[in-house]
Amino acid sequence: MTVIKIFNQPVSSLSLQFLRFGYGLTTTILIIRYFYFGWIHTYFIQPTLFFKHFGLEWVPNLPPSFIYLLFIILLLTSIGILFGYFVRTNLMIFTIGFTWFHFIDATIYLNHYYLISILGFLLCLSPISKYDTPTLGIQNWIHTPMPIAKLWIYAFRLQIGLVYFFGGIAKLQPDWMWEALPLKLWLYQSEGKLPWLDPILGLPVTAYVFSWIGILFDLSIPFLLCFHRFRLVTWTVVLLFHSFTSFLFPIGVFPIVMSLSSLVFFSPNWPKQVWNRFLKQNHINIQFENKENEKPTNRHLFPREWILIVFLLFQILIPFRHLFYPGQVIWTEEGIKFSWQVMVADKVGEALFFVQGKTIDPRNELTEYQYRMMVIQPEHIIQYAKHIQSKAAIETGQRDLPVYVQSHVSMNGKQARPLFSPDVDLTKIEINFLPLKGLNR
């Protein structure tokens, strides 16, 4: 049997339908959190300057009224995804809108936001988005699931597996393995969140044990989930691990996303099996089994499936790009984004800028969050220096004024050191695919 025939084997779409439900639930919770905690104002209205990702400088900012309108649309579409109405339309609008707001300001980049955009794109591209499957009518569509090509199940498994695998690879560095950093710092900061565990979490050896558990967990989970005999136990470990870390660390909806998404490793028909077991309806298994036994009718892949394959190839290759840059990626941050470098470093810093002998304190212009993110990321420091140059040109009439920075960054609680030498004119440094010039590596 050829690879294409294997990809075209029809299987139940129920696993992806449940993923669609979980996606809608997670994104609805996330958008409600933005309204409840006032994050829309904090991250999109209060700032007067927005930092941009390289290549995405064209993503426009929105005036306050349109920002709130965008989030209202995101909330309505996420609810639509949750309840299974106008699925493809809601997925398309939500994915574009969510990715847009995520790219408005590069300082708010989060790996699980990136994953949410990816999953939204994959769900929108997949066959399950073609038909409405109302969640309230689950009893109807769970017994007559639409068959889909096996390729789509493999695609979602691969995407989730990549997040775990590259997250594990990122931890294979000296600070994490041999010094239990930054876990030592984070466990100390989490004291009091689980008081009954404080005596254990406070032990020096605990950070080392957790560090290695984190490595083994990330590197083994995607493979163990592929084996039927280990799958239930492994997913139970996944659920416990993500639940535990969500109590200790401020990681938002990431545990929910990963716990629900990893269910795609189970049998494509698992929601029906669970439904029948709890409702004692084992006799309603015949209808789709006949469909599953049908031979594939398509001997070729559709254009959207080739798009899927190309997309997944990029997802495999992009996380390796940091290898082409000199220095430690968690320090230089070159190639760190879109690569699943999840919670591998703790960095704090401070910076002052100088133009024409005048000292510029960015805290007078940036929000507290923007400042904390800017001072530890070289690209953002350069962007801010060019922003200062533009303002100085307007005020003085002089163009191309040099801008310097005095910065100190501490990584994983170690002695602070500068990202750039104070005599380097930051405005002369170009941000592109090449290694940044003047960066202390």
Side-chain angles (χ1 to χ4, degrees), residues 46-85:
Q46 184 181 347
T48 58
L49 171 69
F50 294 94
F51 295 86
K52 299 298 181 181
H53 296 280
F54 168 66
L56 295 172
E57 297 86 356
W58 53 269
V59 176
N61 309 327
L62 294 175
S65 57
F66 282 90
I67 281 288
Y68 276 105
L69 177 61
L70 172 62
F71 273 86
I72 291 171
I73 292 172
L74 289 176
L75 179 60
L76 294 175
T77 52
S78 64
I79 293 173
I81 296 167
L82 170 63
F83 287 100
Y85 291 103

Side-chain angles (χ1 to χ4, degrees), residues 316-329 332 334-336 433-436 441:
I316 293 171
L317 295 175
I318 287 174
F320 288 107
R321 74 190 191 282
H322 72 86
L323 298 176
F324 295 96
Y325 296 96
Q328 193 176 17
V329 62
T332 67
E334 293 175 302
I336 197 171
F433 289 112
L434 299 176
L436 292 174
R441 301 176 184 276

Side-chain angles (χ1 to χ4, degrees), residues 310-360:
V310 172
F311 177 81
L312 292 174
L313 285 175
F314 273 101
Q315 288 299 311
I316 293 171
L317 295 175
I318 287 174
F320 288 107
R321 74 190 191 282
H322 72 86
L323 298 176
F324 295 96
Y325 296 96
Q328 193 176 17
V329 62
I330 57 175
W331 171 256
T332 67
E333 305 229 356
E334 293 175 302
I336 197 171
K337 292 179 179 177
F338 316 111
S339 300
W340 313 120
Q341 302 267 340
V342 183
M343 295 185 68
V344 290
D346 185 277
K347 295 166 71 177
V348 294
E350 56 184 17
L352 291 174
F353 292 80
F354 303 91
V355 58
Q356 281 193 316
K358 181 181 178 182
T359 301
I360 306 293

Side-chain angles (χ1 to χ4, degrees), residues 190-205:
S190 67
E191 184 178 351
K193 291 185 177 180
L194 295 174
W196 55 277
L197 270 181
D198 280 350
I200 297 175
L201 297 179
L203 295 175
V205 70

Side-chain angles (χ1 to χ4, degrees), residues 84-329:
Y85 291 103
F86 306 104
V87 177
R88 177 161 288 175
T89 301
N90 281 322
L91 276 168
M92 186 180 300
I93 295 173
F94 180 87
T95 303
I96 293 173
F98 185 86
T99 306
W100 186 352
F101 102 68
H102 190 206
F103 287 161
I104 285 178
D105 190 350
T107 62
I108 65 170
Y109 171 85
L110 292 171
N111 282 288
H112 59 277
Y113 283 13
Y114 175 47
L115 178 60
I116 286 172
S117 292
I118 288 177
L119 291 178
F121 170 75
L122 292 178
L123 286 169
C124 186
L125 192 65
S126 73
I128 71 160
S129 65
K130 188 175 181 180
Y131 304 102
D132 290 350
T133 48
T135 302
L136 298 178
I138 184 173
Q139 192 166 3
N140 296 324
W141 55 264
I142 203 168
H143 296 315
T144 55
M146 176 188 67
I148 59 172
K150 208 172 196 177
L151 170 64
W152 293 98
I153 300 295
Y154 288 148
F156 281 91
R157 288 177 179 178
L158 175 61
Q159 182 60 68
I160 299 303
L162 290 175
V163 178
Y164 281 117
F165 182 73
F166 283 116
I169 294 294
K171 293 178 176 66
L172 298 178
Q173 39 98 358
D175 277 9
W176 188 281
M177 293 189 297
W178 313 127
E179 299 184 58
L181 291 171
L183 267 181
K184 276 183 185 176
L185 304 175
W186 293 341
L187 288 176
Y188 176 77
Q189 293 166 1
S190 67
E191 184 178 351
K193 291 185 177 180
L194 295 174
W196 55 277
L197 270 181
D198 280 350
I200 297 175
L201 297 179
L203 295 175
V205 70
T206 302
Y208 290 91
V209 172
F210 281 15
S211 291
W212 280 96
I213 287 177
I215 292 174
L216 296 175
F217 175 85
D218 284 343
L219 292 179
S220 64
I221 286 300
F223 300 102
L224 291 174
L225 284 171
C226 290
F227 293 95
H228 175 75
R229 63 185 300 180
F230 303 127
R231 196 168 288 150
L232 184 57
V233 174
T234 303
W235 186 78
T236 303
V237 172
V238 167
L239 187 61
L240 293 174
F241 179 88
H242 287 307
S243 299
F244 183 67
T245 55
S246 69
F247 279 112
L248 289 181
F249 312 124
I251 47 182
V253 297
F254 180 73
I256 303 175
V257 174
M258 297 308 295
S259 298
L260 294 178
S261 299
S262 57
L263 286 168
V264 78
F265 283 89
F266 284 83
S267 164
N269 208 30
W270 74 262
K272 186 175 182 180
Q273 295 169 354
V274 172
W275 178 274
N276 289 343
R277 175 170 294 185
F278 278 99
L279 297 184
K280 309 297 183 182
Q281 295 179 344
N282 297 329
H283 61 284
I284 314 181
N285 283 337
I286 300 174
Q287 190 166 1
F288 188 78
E289 285 178 358
N290 292 334
K291 292 183 180 181
E292 280 189 324
N293 292 331
E294 293 175 3
K295 294 182 179 178
T297 56
N298 300 305
R299 299 299 180 104
H300 63 280
L301 298 178
F302 291 113
R304 68 180 175 189
E305 290 164 341
W306 283 112
I307 293 174
L308 172 67
I309 292 172
V310 172
F311 177 81
L312 292 174
L313 285 175
F314 273 101
Q315 288 299 311
I316 293 171
L317 295 175
I318 287 174
F320 288 107
R321 74 190 191 282
H322 72 86
L323 298 176
F324 295 96
Y325 296 96
Q328 193 176 17
V329 62

